[in-house]
Each structure stands twice: as C-alpha cells, then as structure tokens.
C-alpha cells in the first residue's frame, strides 16, 4: 500500500509501505475512506517537534473494515466505522469512568494517512454506522474522529452551560468545532477569536455571536469589554501556545473555567496567578470514544455539520500539498481520499 511519511520539517512524501496486518486478536484492518491533515501534524512539519527517523503520519480516519482479530466482536468486515486518535479497550477503569484517552491499554494512532490502517484495540475503539453513509456525510464523520470530538471535550472541560458566555481561542478546525459544541451545549453568547475573514464567516455560521480579531492584551481587553469587565464563564483554548493559554486564562471570569485541548508547546502556568484567579483549568487528549455515538447521531440526523471545516479536498497522493496549504494557512483543514 501507499501512505504519507515525514522525513524532515517541510518534507512529507507519499511512499510505498508494508500492508498492515492483524498482530493482536483485538486488532482490525480498515480500508481508508477518508483521512486528513491535522493542525497538530504541523508541529513536526514546522520543526517544532523532533521527527527522528522517517515515519508514517496521520491519526484521523473513517473506513471500511477489511479484517478483524479473533476477539473483535463489535464490528465486522464490510462495515463503515469511525474511530478515535487514541485507541481504547473501553473496559478498563479509566474507560468506564469516561476517560478512554487515558485507557490503560491506550495507543495513539499515527499511520492513518494511508490506504489501509491497522487499528489496535479495535473492539473498544471503532463504532460502526448502521449503513454506509452517503458521500456528503463522510467529511463530518471524519471530523468526529478528532476535531469535533476534541472541540466537544473543550466545551465540556470549560463547563459550558445553557445561557452561559463562552470564548473560543483559536480558529482552526478544533476551535471552529468548539463553536459548534458551545452552541449545542446551550451557550447564549459565543465569542470567537479570529483574524481571518473566511474562518470568521464559518464561526458565525456555526453559532458564534461575536468575533474578536485582537490578540494578546488587546484581545483580553476586548473580551472583558464584551462581558461587562468580568470575563467569560467558559473559555476553550484550542491552540496550544503560551500566548493562547494566557489569553484564555485572562479572558475567564473568577469562578469560570478553561478547557484546553491544544497540545501545549512552551506553556507554563504561574501557580500564584492561577491560585488567585479562581479560574478552573482542565484539559488533555479528548476522550473522543466517549462522545462518538452521540456525535455520529448528530451528524447523521443533520443537527451538526462539522465537515465544513474541510475547505480543501485532495487525493491522498497529494498529501504533501495538504500539509503545505495548511502550513501557509491557505486551508483550514485538508481532506484526503485514496
């Protein structure tokens, strides 16, 4: 088969790879229907994370089950399935408590920008749809496997409640999905922080009520101005930089909450400042598997359409162009189809 391999910053190639095989009885192999480039893939692409030896890339996927191990009973060959970037057995104590991304047998997916993918812990990770979805549903189901599930978790971690005010820091696919989540959870006012016209437009379509283009101290001041000088009830931090975290913390009212899902890079939180702020802080890898049945249903019933974050669609063999387009901010998120 063929798939994406990163060799160095800015150097992603589409190469021949070994076909995936069943290794453990809880594995499955799927034929990829759609995959994509994630904002977190840009960290190594930009040289902000070490790459080491050349290795495959990708952690978002939907596909058709080709083969299952002997202990996989919840899905069968021929079914269309949605999974998560973090695999889980869905039976350990952490999974039963709803934290599948901290499963005791967790593996992070990293080979999904390919024609076929081996899914560890398939019995607890994959969720099958009742029927093969129509083609127009595929982008939104793909979004559910990561960015929509991550945006949903950001809103839950920030404790978005009906009638509340939420701020979303970050206008990438996760941030835009966070706008959807805040709306679905009942936020009355949703302030999206964005400086890009196309993303502002999509944020408003997804449910944002206000746009703040300023950043840093000016952005914080603007949020305070919009919230009577107090700050927001809930803030979703969907970037992962020190500046984004600072903007999130200082945009939150005393007693409010920050949900942070951007993978942190050089983020340090001052204990004294957090202590006296009375701001709650929760984040981490989203337990997407917990949300999959609900989010899949919301997509298939037309209640949400997160697939609109894919504003570039390419053949899988043009994966390098997908990376470049996202790196240059010519695309929010690149969809790839074999």
């Amino acid at each position: 088969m063929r798939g994406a391999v990163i060799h160095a910053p800015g150097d992603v190639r589409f190469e021949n790879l070994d076909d995936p095989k069943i290794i453990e009885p809880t594995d499955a192999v799927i034929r990829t229907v759609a995959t994509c480039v994630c904002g977190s893939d840009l960290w190594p692409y930009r040289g902000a994370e070490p790459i080491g030896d050349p290795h495959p890339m990708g952690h978002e996927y939907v596909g058709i089950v080709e083969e299952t191990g002997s202990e996989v009973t919840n899905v069968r060959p021929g079914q269309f399935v949605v999974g998560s970037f973090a695999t889980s057995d869905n039976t350990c104590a952490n999974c039963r408590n709803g934290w599948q991304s901290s499963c005791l047998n967790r593996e992070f997916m990293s080979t999904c920008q390919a024609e076929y993918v081996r899914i560890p812990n398939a019995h607890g990770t994959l969720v099958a749809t009742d029927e093969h979805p129509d083609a127009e549903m595929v982008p939104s189901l793909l979004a559910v496997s990561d960015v929509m599930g991550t945006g949903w978790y950001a809103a839950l971690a920030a404790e978005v409640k009906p009638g509340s005010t939420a701020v979303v820091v970050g206008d990438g696919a996760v941030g835009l999905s966070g706008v959807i989540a805040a709306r679905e959870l009942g936020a009355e006012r949703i302030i999206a922080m964005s400086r890009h016209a196309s993303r502002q437009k999509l944020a408003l379509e997804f449910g944002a009520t206000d746009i703040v283009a300023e950043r840093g101290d000016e952005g914080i001041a603007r949020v305070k101005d919009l919230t009577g000088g107090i700050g927001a009830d809930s803030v979703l931090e969907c970037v992962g930089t020190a500046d984004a975290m600072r903007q999130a913390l200082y945009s939150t009212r005393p007693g409010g909450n920050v949900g942070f899902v951007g993978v942190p890079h050089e983020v340090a939180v001052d204990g004294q400042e957090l202590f006296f702020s009375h701001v709650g802080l929760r984040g981490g890898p989203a337990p997407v598997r917990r949300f999959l049945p609900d989010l899949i249903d919301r997509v298939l019933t037309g209640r949400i359409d997160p697939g609109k974050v894919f504003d570039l669609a390419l053949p899988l063999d043009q994966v390098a162009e997908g990376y470049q387009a996202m790196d240059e901010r010519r695309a929010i998120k690149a969809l790839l189809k074999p």
Side-chain angles (χ1 to χ4, degrees):
M1 72 162 190
R2 298 177 301 167
V5 176
I6 189 166
H7 286 257
D11 184 5
V12 171
R13 308 175 196 176
F14 194 62
E15 300 181 344
N16 289 321
L17 299 168
D18 292 337
D19 292 337
K21 295 179 171 59
I22 300 294
I23 297 174
E24 301 292 339
T26 51
D27 290 347
V29 173
I30 67 169
R31 173 174 54 84
T32 305
V33 170
T35 182
C36 55
V37 180
C38 183
S40 61
D41 293 332
L42 297 181
W43 292 109
Y45 184 80
R46 291 169 171 166
E49 290 181 357
I51 292 172
D53 294 333
H55 57 81
M57 291 289 286
H59 54 265
E60 297 162 274
Y61 58 96
V62 293
I64 307 297
V65 178
E66 291 282 304
E67 184 181 3
T68 60
S70 60
E71 294 182 16
V72 178
T73 58
N74 64 315
V75 298
R76 62 183 184 275
Q79 287 186 307
F80 182 97
V81 290
V82 183
S84 166
F85 63 86
T87 75
S88 56
D89 59 28
N90 216 28
T91 60
C92 77
N94 290 340
C95 288
R96 293 197 305 273
N97 285 328
W99 298 97
Q100 288 90 338
S101 51
S102 285
C103 175
L104 297 177
N105 293 302
R106 174 188 68 190
E107 294 186 39
F108 285 115
M109 296 300 299
S110 60
T111 64
C112 298
Q113 291 163 5
E115 294 171 324
Y116 294 86
V117 185
R118 169 182 165 260
I119 312 293
N121 293 312
H123 60 298
T125 301
L126 297 177
V127 176
T129 56
D130 291 336
E131 301 174 348
H132 284 214
D134 294 337
E136 60 267 23
M137 293 287 188
V138 168
S140 285
L141 291 171
L142 177 60
V144 164
S145 77
D146 184 357
V147 291
M148 186 63 240
T150 297
W152 194 267
Y153 173 58
L156 289 178
E159 298 190 14
V160 174
K161 293 180 172 62
S164 65
T165 294
V167 169
V168 179
V169 179
D171 61 0
V174 171
L176 291 167
S177 298
V179 172
I180 295 175
R183 181 199 67 197
E184 290 292 294
L185 292 173
E188 183 175 315
R189 192 172 195 182
I190 303 170
I191 302 168
M193 306 194 84
S194 171
R195 298 193 298 182
H196 301 86
S198 62
R199 301 179 186 215
Q200 292 173 354
K201 181 180 178 181
L202 191 53
L204 291 169
E205 183 178 342
F206 282 166
T209 57
D210 302 88
I211 300 291
V212 170
E214 297 87 350
R215 289 188 179 179
D217 290 339
E218 291 183 357
I220 294 165
R222 181 66 180 138
V223 169
K224 291 289 183 70
D225 181 60
L226 290 170
T227 56
I230 300 299
D233 303 304
S234 302
V235 179
L236 290 61
E237 194 282 289
C238 303
V239 182
T241 64
D243 288 342
M245 179 61 82
R246 182 178 183 277
Q247 191 158 287
L249 288 170
Y250 282 91
S251 295
T252 310
R253 67 166 175 81
N257 295 278
V258 172
F260 68 103
V261 295
V263 180
H265 287 73
E266 299 182 357
V267 173
V269 178
D270 184 282
Q272 286 279 330
E273 290 185 7
L274 185 63
F275 182 75
F276 286 103
S277 72
H278 282 133
V279 170
L281 185 63
R282 179 186 293 280
V288 169
R289 178 60 180 82
R290 188 207 311 177
F291 314 131
L292 279 183
D294 178 40
L295 293 180
I296 289 171
D297 181 69
R298 289 174 193 253
V299 166
L300 294 178
T301 57
R303 183 164 175 172
I304 62 174
D305 189 9
K308 290 181 178 179
V309 300
F310 294 106
D311 55 349
L312 177 65
L314 295 168
L316 182 57
D317 61 7
Q318 295 182 30
V319 59
E321 166 59 19
Y323 274 83
Q324 187 173 355
M326 288 179 60
D327 179 48
E328 296 172 355
R329 298 187 74 85
R330 290 185 283 112
I332 300 171
K333 195 165 178 67
L335 178 76
L336 305 166
K337 286 190 176 183

